[in-house]
Amino acid sequence: QVRDAVLEAWKADERLRLAREAAEAIEAETNAGRSLAEVAADQGLTVATTRPMTRSEGDSIANFPSTLTGTLFERDPGAAVSGPVGNGYVVAVLTEIVQADPSAEAEPVATLDRRIETEIATDLLNSLAAALQQRYAVEIDRSPLEQDF
């Protein structure tokens, strides 16, 4: 049984290595000027298009991980990237970057504004507290807290 388990683990590792090598080769060919569709067709693979997404999200329907979107957006449109997904690899090409329209997304923008305001206020209060503790000797008696909790 141990032999079978080791053999299966080796096979899985080997499949993943081969998938990585294939993805890297497809990425290189695409970055050399061929279209992803052409390279995929030569390999008998299919190409899927994700829905529009932000720099921090993925597309689970198209099996595109959020861990790869940051790398994708660091490239120029037309450049390919590859990375692990599930038990394989994916190759992606950024087709375009659409500038955000804050007026079209009023609620998420308002939520972000509130979060940033809260984080700034927290940072300022923490800085003030640290400065005051450094300037004035502070002694905290934790025993009443420990008794109640």
Side-chain angles (χ1 to χ4, degrees), residues 26-102:
I26 292 169
E27 177 184 354
E29 281 189 62
T30 303
N31 286 331
R34 293 188 66 203
S35 77
L36 180 59
E38 289 173 344
V39 178
D42 288 351
Q43 305 269 338
L45 303 170
T46 58
V47 175
T49 302
T50 66
R51 62 177 174 70
M53 62 183 122
T54 66
R55 294 174 190 267
S56 61
E57 67 182 2
D59 186 348
S60 60
I61 295 169
N63 202 22
F64 190 79
S66 60
T67 55
L68 198 54
T69 55
T71 305
L72 184 63
F73 276 100
E74 289 172 359
R75 305 287 174 89
D76 292 330
V81 299
S82 64
V85 56
N87 60 353
Y89 273 75
V90 66
V91 179
V93 173
L94 179 65
T95 56
E96 69 176 322
I97 297 177
V98 178
Q99 296 299 319
D101 180 8

Side-chain angles (χ1 to χ4, degrees), residues 127-146:
S127 295
L128 176 62
L132 289 172
Q133 286 179 349
Q134 194 171 17
R135 186 170 189 179
Y136 302 105
V138 175
E139 189 174 308
I140 299 173
D141 183 5
R142 295 200 180 271
S143 59
L145 292 172
E146 292 170 359

